[in-house]
Amino acid sequence: QITLKESGPTLVKPTQTLTLTCTFSGFSLSTAGVGVGWIRQPPGKALEWLALIYWANDKRYSPSLESRLTITQDSSKNQVILTLTNLDPVDTATYYCAHSQPNSGWFFDYWGQGILVTVSS
Amino acid sequence: DIQMTQSPSSVSTSAGDRVTITCRASQGIGSWLAWYQQKPGKAPKLLIYGASILQSGVPSRFSGSGSGTDFSLTISSLQPEDFATYYCQQAATFPRTFGQGTKVEMK
């Protein structure tokens, strides 16, 4: 059974750095084709893809946020970490991590519950 | 970036109705398209990938079609639990991009 869960701060100040952790189970990021991505959703708005890390440590980023984003993995803990620097109130959103695999066309077939992050002073 | 444009933005309909949502890509994406359903306060759920392949466990009243730039999601007979927002997403290239969503509301 594949599960993912996001954790991290729910309130951060402008200009600070956000670090979110996705802790997963039921799969390994060492398995060929597997990936974990981050997607966010501002309140009442659409989904926005942020970043993705694959089994071979291949990393992909949204070009509009690439200078502020870093995605890493901690294989020993079954975690994927996303950092977003220089936060602004427009970064207020629910942040989701999600699993991707070839059997689902590399789309996101399992999602975490999401974590609402508010950026405010 | 490939832009994904959904229409309509919202649709008011009734249980039992047939509903079709469209998604247009700004450039060809082959069959690299998925549809997700999202209910308020919940994470999106993958319904269809590869433009027309039903994800395991998804009811057969959902179907997808299209290739290249034009795609559609059809719900053959809307059930009460289908009132939700639906998103398309392309995986042909990076960055991955989503449509703006289509809200299916009760008339």
Side-chain angles (χ1 to χ4, degrees):
Chain A
Q1 180 190 2
I2 290 175
T3 65
L4 305 98
K5 187 173 183 179
E6 307 85 354
S7 60
T10 57
L11 179 63
V12 290
K13 291 180 167 43
T15 75
Q16 286 187 338
T17 293
L18 173 67
T19 300
L20 294 174
T21 300
C22 176
T23 303
F24 58 84
S25 63
F27 67 94
S28 170
L29 249 183
S30 302
T31 301
V34 170
V36 172
W38 285 92
I39 302 98
R40 72 179 180 181
Q41 185 173 39
K45 296 189 177 181
L47 301 164
E48 179 185 15
W49 180 85
L50 300 177
L52 186 63
I53 186 166
Y54 283 112
W55 81 102
N57 208 36
D58 182 20
K59 303 171 185 179
R60 305 292 179 133
Y61 296 98
S62 168
S64 64
L65 292 167
E66 186 165 9
S67 63
R68 300 170 54 207
L69 279 172
T70 304
I71 190 169
T72 59
Q73 62 171 303
D74 185 334
S75 302
S76 65
K77 296 181 180 178
N78 280 353
Q79 292 179 335
V80 171
I81 299 101
L82 183 79
T83 61
L84 179 63
T85 62
N86 193 23
L87 287 173
D88 183 273
V90 300
D91 296 311
T92 294
T94 297
Y95 287 75
Y96 297 99
C97 62
H99 169 270
S100 167
Q101 64 172 333
N103 286 351
S104 301
W106 286 277
F107 292 96
F108 298 114
D109 54 357
Y110 294 91
W111 294 63
Q113 64 189 24
I115 182 170
L116 175 60
V117 177
T118 301
V119 181
S120 174
S121 54
Chain B
D1 299 6
I2 296 177
Q3 307 304 315
M4 307 300 292
T5 303
Q6 290 182 231
S7 61
S9 297
S10 65
V11 56
S12 296
T13 186
S14 303
D17 285 353
R18 180 184 181 90
V19 174
T20 297
I21 298 166
T22 65
C23 179
R24 174 166 287 179
S26 60
Q27 62 189 76
I29 59 170
S31 296
W32 291 98
L33 185 103
W35 291 96
Y36 299 87
Q37 176 194 67
Q38 187 180 33
K39 297 182 179 179
K42 301 294 186 181
K45 172 187 174 182
L46 179 64
L47 298 177
I48 287 169
Y49 65 93
S52 62
I53 302 170
L54 207 62
Q55 174 70 347
S56 176
V58 174
S60 59
R61 62 181 179 273
F62 292 92
S63 63
S65 65
S67 67
T69 59
D70 293 309
F71 302 87
S72 64
L73 170 71
T74 298
I75 310 171
S76 60
S77 178
L78 202 68
Q79 298 301 298
E81 61 268 29
D82 301 336
F83 291 99
T85 300
Y86 294 83
Y87 293 94
C88 61
Q89 181 224 326
Q90 65 81 20
T93 65
F94 287 102
R96 306 304 198 217
T97 44
F98 290 88
Q100 82 278 17
T102 295
K103 188 173 184 179
V104 177
E105 301 175 295
M106 194 177 302
K107 186 181 289 183

